[in-house]
Amino acid sequence: MSRCCNGFVTDMTPARWEILKIKAQRAIEAMIAQFPPEIRDEAQKAPILFEEECKDDPEILGTYGHFMPGEVSPANGPIILYLATIEDYCAEEGDDFATEVRLTYLHELGHHFGWDEDDLEERGLG
C-alpha cells in the first residue's frame, strides 16, 4: 500500500512497482556511471534496496544502515529507497521522480561516507 498525494491509500500494483523499480535503477545507474572512479568504486560497495515505504516512518524517503559519523562505513549500508513514498512526495511537490531518486540516493550515499545531516545540508543534500 502507498499513500497518494491526497492522503488516500492506494494499492501498489505489481506492474506499477516494476515500473518504479526500473525508473529508479536506471536513474541511479546513470548517475553512478558519471562518478569519478574512486567515488564510483566506493558507491558500488553499498547495495541498493527498494521498498514501498518505511514501516517505522512512512514519510522517510530513504535510509542508510550502519552510519558511522566521520568515516566511510565498512558495513556498506545498505541504502534503502522507499519508492512509493518518493513517488507520493513528487506528486505532492510537483517534482520529477528520477530527480528525487537521485537526490535521495546521494543523501544516503553521503551517510556511507560518514556525513551527518549538517554535512549533507552544507553540500545541498539535506
Side-chain angles (χ1 to χ4, degrees):
M1 302 293 249
S2 71
R3 292 167 291 99
C4 183
C5 57
N6 58 13
F8 296 106
V9 175
T10 59
D11 289 325
M12 176 63 71
T13 65
R16 184 75 195 137
W17 178 243
E18 287 304 312
I19 289 169
L20 290 179
K21 288 191 318 186
I22 289 167
K23 285 182 177 181
Q25 190 67 43
R26 286 181 181 161
I28 292 167
E29 287 173 358
M31 183 177 48
I32 290 172
Q34 296 177 0
F35 288 166
E38 64 278 3
I39 302 295
R40 182 176 49 245
D41 292 346
E42 194 60 45
Q44 290 173 333
K45 291 179 184 178
I48 305 163
L49 306 175
F50 301 128
E51 295 182 13
E52 283 188 42
E53 68 180 11
C54 178
K55 303 303 180 211
D56 295 329
D57 184 350
E59 299 296 317
I60 292 176
L61 303 181
T63 57
Y64 179 79
H66 304 99
F67 170 65
M68 299 182 70
E71 60 184 84
V72 175
S73 172
N76 294 325
I79 292 172
I80 303 173
L81 300 183
Y82 301 106
L83 300 184
T85 305
I86 292 172
E87 183 182 46
D88 290 347
Y89 174 82
C90 290
E92 291 170 5
E93 299 296 319
D95 293 340
D96 176 66
F97 178 78
T99 300
E100 187 56 46
V101 164
R102 286 189 295 271
L103 288 171
T104 302
Y105 171 77
L106 287 172
H107 179 101
E108 301 311 330
L109 183 63
H111 288 316
H112 174 73
F113 285 104
W115 301 342
D116 64 18
E117 295 302 322
D118 290 337
D119 295 328
L120 291 164
E121 189 70 37
E122 288 174 14
R123 291 171 170 85
L125 298 171

